[in-house]
Amino acid sequence: QVQLVESGGGLVQAGGSLRLSCTASRRTLSDYSVGWFRQAPGKQREFVTTIFWNGITQYYVDSVKGRFTISRDNAKNMVYLQMNNLKPEDTAVYYCAARTQSSIKYDYWGQGTQVTVSS
């Protein structure tokens, strides 16, 4: 069982930056591909970005390309989401999730961290 914990959310003005962190207890994240998802009020949860277990393969939703960067530090058992040039439409609860190399779905989820971007 993988328990994920997110941190780093908060309130920021449009154009500002935040860095979200995701760590795991009881397991090492290096064995998993990790993704970030978000859910805004009244909307469905959407995929934001993912980084594969190899640390090389990454995908981003078009709306965050050039502004968000996912990275991982396996020595610290951490995955990060650097968010720059934030916009009010980025306001959401952000979740990290993990899946094994052989799985096509994310099996493990954190409880989320709130990001609020004011205009």
mmCIF file of all heavy atoms in Angstrom, residues 15-59:
data_model
loop_
_atom_site.group_PDB
_atom_site.id
_atom_site.type_symbol
_atom_site.label_atom_id
_atom_site.label_comp_id
_atom_site.label_asym_id
_atom_site.label_seq_id
_atom_site.Cartn_x
_atom_site.Cartn_y
_atom_site.Cartn_z
ATOM 1 N N GLY A 15 0.002 35.259 -11.817
ATOM 2 C CA GLY A 15 1.373 35.524 -12.214
ATOM 3 C C GLY A 15 2.408 34.994 -11.241
ATOM 4 O O GLY A 15 3.602 34.968 -11.562
ATOM 5 N N GLY A 16 1.954 34.566 -10.091
ATOM 6 C CA GLY A 16 2.867 34.050 -9.080
ATOM 7 C C GLY A 16 3.205 32.589 -9.292
ATOM 8 O O GLY A 16 2.803 31.969 -10.278
ATOM 9 N N SER A 17 3.951 32.047 -8.338
ATOM 10 C CA SER A 17 4.431 30.663 -8.439
ATOM 11 C C SER A 17 4.180 29.907 -7.145
ATOM 12 O O SER A 17 4.130 30.495 -6.054
ATOM 13 C CB SER A 17 5.934 30.648 -8.732
ATOM 14 O OG SER A 17 6.234 31.268 -9.967
ATOM 15 N N LEU A 18 4.039 28.608 -7.287
ATOM 16 C CA LEU A 18 3.973 27.696 -6.158
ATOM 17 C C LEU A 18 4.682 26.410 -6.558
ATOM 18 O O LEU A 18 4.719 26.055 -7.740
ATOM 19 C CB LEU A 18 2.529 27.350 -5.785
ATOM 20 C CG LEU A 18 1.698 28.372 -5.016
ATOM 21 C CD1 LEU A 18 0.254 27.889 -4.899
ATOM 22 C CD2 LEU A 18 2.278 28.632 -3.637
ATOM 23 N N ARG A 19 5.207 25.720 -5.561
ATOM 24 C CA ARG A 19 5.761 24.399 -5.808
ATOM 25 C C ARG A 19 5.048 23.395 -4.914
ATOM 26 O O ARG A 19 5.103 23.503 -3.682
ATOM 27 C CB ARG A 19 7.265 24.334 -5.545
ATOM 28 C CG ARG A 19 7.864 22.996 -6.011
ATOM 29 C CD ARG A 19 9.368 22.922 -5.823
ATOM 30 N NE ARG A 19 9.737 22.660 -4.442
ATOM 31 C CZ ARG A 19 10.918 22.179 -4.071
ATOM 32 N NH1 ARG A 19 11.838 21.900 -4.992
ATOM 33 N NH2 ARG A 19 11.188 21.980 -2.796
ATOM 34 N N LEU A 20 4.417 22.434 -5.530
ATOM 35 C CA LEU A 20 3.760 21.356 -4.801
ATOM 36 C C LEU A 20 4.721 20.186 -4.655
ATOM 37 O O LEU A 20 5.545 19.938 -5.535
ATOM 38 C CB LEU A 20 2.501 20.901 -5.527
ATOM 39 C CG LEU A 20 1.465 21.967 -5.853
ATOM 40 C CD1 LEU A 20 0.235 21.324 -6.484
ATOM 41 C CD2 LEU A 20 1.090 22.766 -4.636
ATOM 42 N N SER A 21 4.583 19.499 -3.554
ATOM 43 C CA SER A 21 5.411 18.323 -3.291
ATOM 44 C C SER A 21 4.526 17.126 -3.011
ATOM 45 O O SER A 21 3.435 17.257 -2.454
ATOM 46 C CB SER A 21 6.323 18.571 -2.087
ATOM 47 O OG SER A 21 7.172 19.669 -2.309
ATOM 48 N N CYS A 22 5.030 15.978 -3.383
ATOM 49 C CA CYS A 22 4.322 14.718 -3.137
ATOM 50 C C CYS A 22 5.340 13.717 -2.623
ATOM 51 O O CYS A 22 6.395 13.525 -3.235
ATOM 52 C CB CYS A 22 3.676 14.213 -4.420
ATOM 53 S SG CYS A 22 2.893 12.589 -4.293
ATOM 54 N N THR A 23 5.031 13.119 -1.503
ATOM 55 C CA THR A 23 5.898 12.089 -0.972
ATOM 56 C C THR A 23 5.070 10.871 -0.609
ATOM 57 O O THR A 23 3.847 10.928 -0.551
ATOM 58 C CB THR A 23 6.679 12.599 0.247
ATOM 59 O OG1 THR A 23 7.689 11.648 0.598
ATOM 60 C CG2 THR A 23 5.749 12.801 1.442
ATOM 61 N N ALA A 24 5.749 9.770 -0.397
ATOM 62 C CA ALA A 24 5.064 8.520 -0.097
ATOM 63 C C ALA A 24 5.618 7.920 1.179
ATOM 64 O O ALA A 24 6.813 8.007 1.453
ATOM 65 C CB ALA A 24 5.227 7.521 -1.237
ATOM 66 N N SER A 25 4.726 7.314 1.931
ATOM 67 C CA SER A 25 5.165 6.581 3.107
ATOM 68 C C SER A 25 5.104 5.092 2.795
ATOM 69 O O SER A 25 4.321 4.646 1.961
ATOM 70 C CB SER A 25 4.276 6.908 4.307
ATOM 71 O OG SER A 25 2.935 6.549 4.039
ATOM 72 N N ARG A 26 5.949 4.355 3.416
ATOM 73 C CA ARG A 26 5.985 2.895 3.344
ATOM 74 C C ARG A 26 6.520 2.342 2.039
ATOM 75 O O ARG A 26 6.827 1.161 1.952
ATOM 76 C CB ARG A 26 4.597 2.283 3.605
ATOM 77 C CG ARG A 26 3.987 2.679 4.922
ATOM 78 C CD ARG A 26 2.640 2.039 5.116
ATOM 79 N NE ARG A 26 2.019 2.459 6.362
ATOM 80 C CZ ARG A 26 0.823 2.047 6.767
ATOM 81 N NH1 ARG A 26 0.143 1.210 6.022
ATOM 82 N NH2 ARG A 26 0.313 2.480 7.894
ATOM 83 N N ARG A 27 6.584 3.157 1.005
ATOM 84 C CA ARG A 27 7.114 2.670 -0.265
ATOM 85 C C ARG A 27 8.000 3.748 -0.886
ATOM 86 O O ARG A 27 7.864 4.928 -0.580
ATOM 87 C CB ARG A 27 5.976 2.344 -1.244
ATOM 88 C CG ARG A 27 5.134 1.141 -0.855
ATOM 89 C CD ARG A 27 5.897 -0.158 -0.933
ATOM 90 N NE ARG A 27 5.080 -1.297 -0.563
ATOM 91 C CZ ARG A 27 4.427 -2.054 -1.413
ATOM 92 N NH1 ARG A 27 4.524 -1.795 -2.709
ATOM 93 N NH2 ARG A 27 3.698 -3.062 -0.993
ATOM 94 N N THR A 28 8.851 3.305 -1.790
ATOM 95 C CA THR A 28 9.677 4.259 -2.506
ATOM 96 C C THR A 28 8.993 4.658 -3.801
ATOM 97 O O THR A 28 8.555 3.807 -4.583
ATOM 98 C CB THR A 28 11.070 3.676 -2.784
ATOM 99 O OG1 THR A 28 11.795 4.606 -3.587
ATOM 100 C CG2 THR A 28 10.996 2.345 -3.499
ATOM 101 N N LEU A 29 8.923 5.950 -4.027
ATOM 102 C CA LEU A 29 8.257 6.460 -5.219
ATOM 103 C C LEU A 29 9.001 6.131 -6.499
ATOM 104 O O LEU A 29 8.415 6.205 -7.582
ATOM 105 C CB LEU A 29 8.081 7.975 -5.126
ATOM 106 C CG LEU A 29 6.845 8.489 -4.396
ATOM 107 C CD1 LEU A 29 6.848 10.020 -4.375
ATOM 108 C CD2 LEU A 29 5.570 7.960 -5.010
ATOM 109 N N SER A 30 10.260 5.775 -6.413
ATOM 110 C CA SER A 30 11.037 5.508 -7.614
ATOM 111 C C SER A 30 10.500 4.322 -8.398
ATOM 112 O O SER A 30 10.818 4.171 -9.578
ATOM 113 C CB SER A 30 12.506 5.282 -7.256
ATOM 114 O OG SER A 30 12.640 4.152 -6.422
ATOM 115 N N ASP A 31 9.696 3.491 -7.771
ATOM 116 C CA ASP A 31 9.122 2.334 -8.451
ATOM 117 C C ASP A 31 7.845 2.674 -9.211
ATOM 118 O O ASP A 31 7.285 1.810 -9.897
ATOM 119 C CB ASP A 31 8.799 1.231 -7.439
ATOM 120 C CG ASP A 31 10.044 0.671 -6.776
ATOM 121 O OD1 ASP A 31 11.128 0.732 -7.396
ATOM 122 O OD2 ASP A 31 9.932 0.192 -5.634
ATOM 123 N N TYR A 32 7.394 3.920 -9.100
ATOM 124 C CA TYR A 32 6.094 4.292 -9.642
ATOM 125 C C TYR A 32 6.189 5.472 -10.603
ATOM 126 O O TYR A 32 7.041 6.345 -10.457
ATOM 127 C CB TYR A 32 5.151 4.684 -8.497
ATOM 128 C CG TYR A 32 4.884 3.569 -7.526
ATOM 129 C CD1 TYR A 32 5.759 3.315 -6.476
ATOM 130 C CD2 TYR A 32 3.766 2.763 -7.652
ATOM 131 C CE1 TYR A 32 5.525 2.283 -5.580
ATOM 132 C CE2 TYR A 32 3.519 1.732 -6.760
ATOM 133 C CZ TYR A 32 4.402 1.498 -5.730
ATOM 134 O OH TYR A 32 4.159 0.483 -4.848
ATOM 135 N N SER A 33 5.288 5.469 -11.556
ATOM 136 C CA SER A 33 5.029 6.682 -12.314
ATOM 137 C C SER A 33 4.076 7.533 -11.470
ATOM 138 O O SER A 33 3.150 7.000 -10.848
ATOM 139 C CB SER A 33 4.396 6.366 -13.667
ATOM 140 O OG SER A 33 5.294 5.674 -14.494
ATOM 141 N N VAL A 34 4.306 8.825 -11.452
ATOM 142 C CA VAL A 34 3.516 9.715 -10.600
ATOM 143 C C VAL A 34 2.868 10.800 -11.442
ATOM 144 O O VAL A 34 3.500 11.381 -12.328
ATOM 145 C CB VAL A 34 4.400 10.353 -9.518
ATOM 146 C CG1 VAL A 34 3.592 11.348 -8.674
ATOM 147 C CG2 VAL A 34 4.995 9.275 -8.617
ATOM 148 N N GLY A 35 1.622 11.051 -11.175
ATOM 149 C CA GLY A 35 0.905 12.090 -11.891
ATOM 150 C C GLY A 35 0.313 13.109 -10.950
ATOM 151 O O GLY A 35 0.130 12.855 -9.752
ATOM 152 N N TRP A 36 0.056 14.280 -11.500
ATOM 153 C CA TRP A 36 -0.690 15.326 -10.780
ATOM 154 C C TRP A 36 -2.012 15.530 -11.502
ATOM 155 O O TRP A 36 -2.048 15.622 -12.742
ATOM 156 C CB TRP A 36 0.090 16.631 -10.739
ATOM 157 C CG TRP A 36 1.245 16.623 -9.788
ATOM 158 C CD1 TRP A 36 2.551 16.371 -10.075
ATOM 159 C CD2 TRP A 36 1.187 16.901 -8.382
ATOM 160 N NE1 TRP A 36 3.305 16.451 -8.941
ATOM 161 C CE2 TRP A 36 2.509 16.785 -7.885
ATOM 162 C CE3 TRP A 36 0.164 17.237 -7.502
ATOM 163 C CZ2 TRP A 36 2.825 16.993 -6.545
ATOM 164 C CZ3 TRP A 36 0.483 17.451 -6.168
ATOM 165 C CH2 TRP A 36 1.796 17.326 -5.699
ATOM 166 N N PHE A 37 -3.061 15.610 -10.724
ATOM 167 C CA PHE A 37 -4.399 15.870 -11.228
ATOM 168 C C PHE A 37 -4.964 17.053 -10.445
ATOM 169 O O PHE A 37 -4.447 17.409 -9.386
ATOM 170 C CB PHE A 37 -5.297 14.641 -11.032
ATOM 171 C CG PHE A 37 -4.878 13.442 -11.834
ATOM 172 C CD1 PHE A 37 -3.780 12.680 -11.463
ATOM 173 C CD2 PHE A 37 -5.583 13.066 -12.965
ATOM 174 C CE1 PHE A 37 -3.380 11.573 -12.199
ATOM 175 C CE2 PHE A 37 -5.207 11.958 -13.711
ATOM 176 C CZ PHE A 37 -4.096 11.217 -13.324
ATOM 177 N N ARG A 38 -6.020 17.645 -10.955
ATOM 178 C CA ARG A 38 -6.657 18.736 -10.221
ATOM 179 C C ARG A 38 -8.160 18.696 -10.425
ATOM 180 O O ARG A 38 -8.646 18.199 -11.444
ATOM 181 C CB ARG A 38 -6.085 20.093 -10.649
ATOM 182 C CG ARG A 38 -6.369 20.476 -12.094
ATOM 183 C CD ARG A 38 -5.630 21.764 -12.442
ATOM 184 N NE ARG A 38 -5.865 22.169 -13.835
ATOM 185 C CZ ARG A 38 -5.250 23.199 -14.411
ATOM 186 N NH1 ARG A 38 -4.352 23.923 -13.729
ATOM 187 N NH2 ARG A 38 -5.522 23.505 -15.658
ATOM 188 N N GLN A 39 -8.845 19.232 -9.449
ATOM 189 C CA GLN A 39 -10.294 19.315 -9.535
ATOM 190 C C GLN A 39 -10.754 20.666 -9.034
ATOM 191 O O GLN A 39 -10.541 21.007 -7.863
ATOM 192 C CB GLN A 39 -10.960 18.204 -8.735
ATOM 193 C CG GLN A 39 -12.467 18.140 -8.928
ATOM 194 C CD GLN A 39 -13.071 16.861 -8.392
ATOM 195 O OE1 GLN A 39 -12.489 16.170 -7.570
ATOM 196 N NE2 GLN A 39 -14.265 16.536 -8.874
ATOM 197 N N ALA A 40 -11.345 21.417 -9.938
ATOM 198 C CA ALA A 40 -11.886 22.725 -9.589
ATOM 199 C C ALA A 40 -13.333 22.557 -9.126
ATOM 200 O O ALA A 40 -13.988 21.575 -9.478
ATOM 201 C CB ALA A 40 -11.818 23.657 -10.801
ATOM 202 N N PRO A 41 -13.848 23.512 -8.365
ATOM 203 C CA PRO A 41 -15.231 23.417 -7.882
ATOM 204 C C PRO A 41 -16.222 23.249 -9.029
ATOM 205 O O PRO A 41 -16.171 23.992 -10.017
ATOM 206 C CB PRO A 41 -15.442 24.747 -7.156
ATOM 207 C CG PRO A 41 -14.078 25.175 -6.753
ATOM 208 C CD PRO A 41 -13.172 24.714 -7.844
ATOM 209 N N GLY A 42 -17.082 22.254 -8.921
ATOM 210 C CA GLY A 42 -18.096 22.033 -9.931
ATOM 211 C C GLY A 42 -17.603 21.385 -11.213
ATOM 212 O O GLY A 42 -18.375 21.255 -12.175
ATOM 213 N N LYS A 43 -16.332 20.979 -11.228
ATOM 214 C CA LYS A 43 -15.770 20.374 -12.434
ATOM 215 C C LYS A 43 -15.232 18.984 -12.129
ATOM 216 O O LYS A 43 -14.985 18.639 -10.978
ATOM 217 C CB LYS A 43 -14.657 21.241 -13.006
ATOM 218 C CG LYS A 43 -15.136 22.594 -13.512
ATOM 219 C CD LYS A 43 -14.017 23.338 -14.204
ATOM 220 C CE LYS A 43 -14.506 24.664 -14.778
ATOM 221 N NZ LYS A 43 -13.404 25.395 -15.492
ATOM 222 N N GLN A 44 -15.046 18.224 -13.190
ATOM 223 C CA GLN A 44 -14.471 16.898 -13.026
ATOM 224 C C GLN A 44 -12.969 17.003 -12.811
ATOM 225 O O GLN A 44 -12.324 17.964 -13.231
ATOM 226 C CB GLN A 44 -14.760 16.052 -14.269
ATOM 227 C CG GLN A 44 -16.215 15.638 -14.398
ATOM 228 C CD GLN A 44 -16.430 14.631 -15.519
ATOM 229 O OE1 GLN A 44 -15.683 14.601 -16.493
ATOM 230 N NE2 GLN A 44 -17.438 13.809 -15.367
ATOM 231 N N ARG A 45 -12.423 16.003 -12.171
ATOM 232 C CA ARG A 45 -10.986 15.952 -11.987
ATOM 233 C C ARG A 45 -10.312 15.807 -13.346
ATOM 234 O O ARG A 45 -10.789 15.043 -14.199
ATOM 235 C CB ARG A 45 -10.619 14.776 -11.092
ATOM 236 C CG ARG A 45 -9.160 14.678 -10.725
ATOM 237 C CD ARG A 45 -8.959 13.618 -9.671
ATOM 238 N NE ARG A 45 -9.387 12.299 -10.146
ATOM 239 C CZ ARG A 45 -9.598 11.270 -9.339
ATOM 240 N NH1 ARG A 45 -9.457 11.402 -8.034
ATOM 241 N NH2 ARG A 45 -9.972 10.112 -9.838
ATOM 242 N N GLU A 46 -9.231 16.538 -13.546
ATOM 243 C CA GLU A 46 -8.535 16.470 -14.818
ATOM 244 C C GLU A 46 -7.058 16.177 -14.626
ATOM 245 O O GLU A 46 -6.448 16.557 -13.628
ATOM 246 C CB GLU A 46 -8.696 17.780 -15.613
ATOM 247 C CG GLU A 46 -7.981 18.971 -15.020
ATOM 248 C CD GLU A 46 -7.893 20.157 -15.970
ATOM 249 O OE1 GLU A 46 -8.148 19.985 -17.185
ATOM 250 O OE2 GLU A 46 -7.555 21.250 -15.488
ATOM 251 N N PHE A 47 -6.495 15.518 -15.606
ATOM 252 C CA PHE A 47 -5.069 15.231 -15.638
ATOM 253 C C PHE A 47 -4.292 16.519 -15.866
ATOM 254 O O PHE A 47 -4.694 17.360 -16.676
ATOM 255 C CB PHE A 47 -4.783 14.236 -16.762
ATOM 256 C CG PHE A 47 -3.330 14.101 -17.115
ATOM 257 C CD1 PHE A 47 -2.490 13.303 -16.369
ATOM 258 C CD2 PHE A 47 -2.814 14.796 -18.194
ATOM 259 C CE1 PHE A 47 -1.158 13.180 -16.693
ATOM 260 C CE2 PHE A 47 -1.480 14.682 -18.540
ATOM 261 C CZ PHE A 47 -0.650 13.867 -17.785
ATOM 262 N N VAL A 48 -3.180 16.679 -15.156
ATOM 263 C CA VAL A 48 -2.319 17.836 -15.341
ATOM 264 C C VAL A 48 -0.983 17.427 -15.960
ATOM 265 O O VAL A 48 -0.578 17.959 -16.990
ATOM 266 C CB VAL A 48 -2.078 18.569 -14.011
ATOM 267 C CG1 VAL A 48 -1.122 19.756 -14.213
ATOM 268 C CG2 VAL A 48 -3.400 19.047 -13.409
ATOM 269 N N THR A 49 -0.310 16.486 -15.322
ATOM 270 C CA THR A 49 1.001 16.088 -15.793
ATOM 271 C C THR A 49 1.385 14.758 -15.166
ATOM 272 O O THR A 49 0.819 14.357 -14.151
ATOM 273 C CB THR A 49 2.057 17.148 -15.453
ATOM 274 O OG1 THR A 49 3.350 16.732 -15.923
ATOM 275 C CG2 THR A 49 2.149 17.367 -13.941
ATOM 276 N N THR A 50 2.346 14.086 -15.788
ATOM 277 C CA THR A 50 2.851 12.860 -15.216
ATOM 278 C C THR A 50 4.332 12.718 -15.540
ATOM 279 O O THR A 50 4.821 13.254 -16.539
ATOM 280 C CB THR A 50 2.089 11.637 -15.737
ATOM 281 O OG1 THR A 50 2.527 10.468 -15.019
ATOM 282 C CG2 THR A 50 2.346 11.394 -17.215
ATOM 283 N N ILE A 51 5.026 12.019 -14.668
ATOM 284 C CA ILE A 51 6.423 11.681 -14.899
ATOM 285 C C ILE A 51 6.562 10.182 -14.671
ATOM 286 O O ILE A 51 6.115 9.644 -13.662
ATOM 287 C CB ILE A 51 7.360 12.497 -13.986
ATOM 288 C CG1 ILE A 51 8.821 12.243 -14.332
ATOM 289 C CG2 ILE A 51 7.089 12.236 -12.503
ATOM 290 C CD1 ILE A 51 9.779 13.263 -13.697
ATOM 291 N N PHE A 52 7.160 9.515 -15.652
ATOM 292 C CA PHE A 52 7.290 8.074 -15.547
ATOM 293 C C PHE A 52 8.343 7.696 -14.508
ATOM 294 O O PHE A 52 9.147 8.520 -14.079
ATOM 295 C CB PHE A 52 7.646 7.485 -16.901
ATOM 296 C CG PHE A 52 6.472 7.328 -17.836
ATOM 297 C CD1 PHE A 52 5.347 8.146 -17.723
ATOM 298 C CD2 PHE A 52 6.488 6.376 -18.829
ATOM 299 C CE1 PHE A 52 4.267 8.007 -18.571
ATOM 300 C CE2 PHE A 52 5.417 6.219 -19.693
ATOM 301 C CZ PHE A 52 4.312 7.034 -19.561
ATOM 302 N N TRP A 53 8.360 6.436 -14.176
ATOM 303 C CA TRP A 53 9.298 5.929 -13.178
ATOM 304 C C TRP A 53 10.732 6.205 -13.590
ATOM 305 O O TRP A 53 11.618 6.347 -12.734
ATOM 306 C CB TRP A 53 9.081 4.427 -13.001
ATOM 307 C CG TRP A 53 9.344 3.650 -14.259
ATOM 308 C CD1 TRP A 53 8.465 3.377 -15.249
ATOM 309 C CD2 TRP A 53 10.596 3.091 -14.669
ATOM 310 N NE1 TRP A 53 9.081 2.681 -16.268
ATOM 311 C CE2 TRP A 53 10.383 2.479 -15.931
ATOM 312 C CE3 TRP A 53 11.868 3.035 -14.103
ATOM 313 C CZ2 TRP A 53 11.394 1.839 -16.618
ATOM 314 C CZ3 TRP A 53 12.874 2.376 -14.790
ATOM 315 C CH2 TRP A 53 12.640 1.785 -16.041
ATOM 316 N N ASN A 54 10.985 6.288 -14.919
ATOM 317 C CA ASN A 54 12.361 6.506 -15.374
ATOM 318 C C ASN A 54 12.820 7.948 -15.217
ATOM 319 O O ASN A 54 13.974 8.269 -15.454
ATOM 320 C CB ASN A 54 12.526 6.053 -16.830
ATOM 321 C CG ASN A 54 11.618 6.807 -17.794
ATOM 322 O OD1 ASN A 54 11.075 7.857 -17.458
ATOM 323 N ND2 ASN A 54 11.449 6.276 -19.000
ATOM 324 N N GLY A 55 11.894 8.831 -14.837
ATOM 325 C CA GLY A 55 12.247 10.229 -14.629
ATOM 326 C C GLY A 55 12.422 11.020 -15.908
ATOM 327 O O GLY A 55 12.715 12.215 -15.866
ATOM 328 N N ILE A 56 12.241 10.371 -17.035
ATOM 329 C CA ILE A 56 12.493 11.034 -18.315
ATOM 330 C C ILE A 56 11.184 11.360 -19.041
ATOM 331 O O ILE A 56 10.968 12.489 -19.483
ATOM 332 C CB ILE A 56 13.380 10.133 -19.207
ATOM 333 C CG1 ILE A 56 14.736 9.905 -18.532
ATOM 334 C CG2 ILE A 56 13.540 10.733 -20.599
ATOM 335 C CD1 ILE A 56 15.608 8.900 -19.236
ATOM 336 N N THR A 57 10.335 10.386 -19.177
ATOM 337 C CA THR A 57 9.098 10.582 -19.924
ATOM 338 C C THR A 57 8.121 11.421 -19.104
ATOM 339 O O THR A 57 7.835 11.096 -17.955
ATOM 340 C CB THR A 57 8.465 9.222 -20.254
ATOM 341 O OG1 THR A 57 9.417 8.408 -20.924
ATOM 342 C CG2 THR A 57 7.239 9.421 -21.140
ATOM 343 N N GLN A 58 7.650 12.498 -19.743
ATOM 344 C CA GLN A 58 6.719 13.404 -19.091
ATOM 345 C C GLN A 58 5.627 13.808 -20.078
ATOM 346 O O GLN A 58 5.888 13.924 -21.273
ATOM 347 C CB GLN A 58 7.450 14.662 -18.602
ATOM 348 C CG GLN A 58 8.592 14.405 -17.654
ATOM 349 C CD GLN A 58 9.333 15.669 -17.296
ATOM 350 O OE1 GLN A 58 8.875 16.781 -17.531
ATOM 351 N NE2 GLN A 58 10.509 15.511 -16.696
ATOM 352 N N TYR A 59 4.448 14.046 -19.566
ATOM 353 C CA TYR A 59 3.346 14.546 -20.379
ATOM 354 C C TYR A 59 2.648 15.657 -19.600
ATOM 355 O O TYR A 59 2.579 15.623 -18.368
ATOM 356 C CB TYR A 59 2.340 13.438 -20.698
ATOM 357 C CG TYR A 59 2.899 12.341 -21.558
ATOM 358 C CD1 TYR A 59 3.300 11.136 -20.997
ATOM 359 C CD2 TYR A 59 3.038 12.511 -22.925
ATOM 360 C CE1 TYR A 59 3.824 10.120 -21.773
ATOM 361 C CE2 TYR A 59 3.562 11.493 -23.722
ATOM 362 C CZ TYR A 59 3.957 10.304 -23.141
ATOM 363 O OH TYR A 59 4.475 9.303 -23.921
#
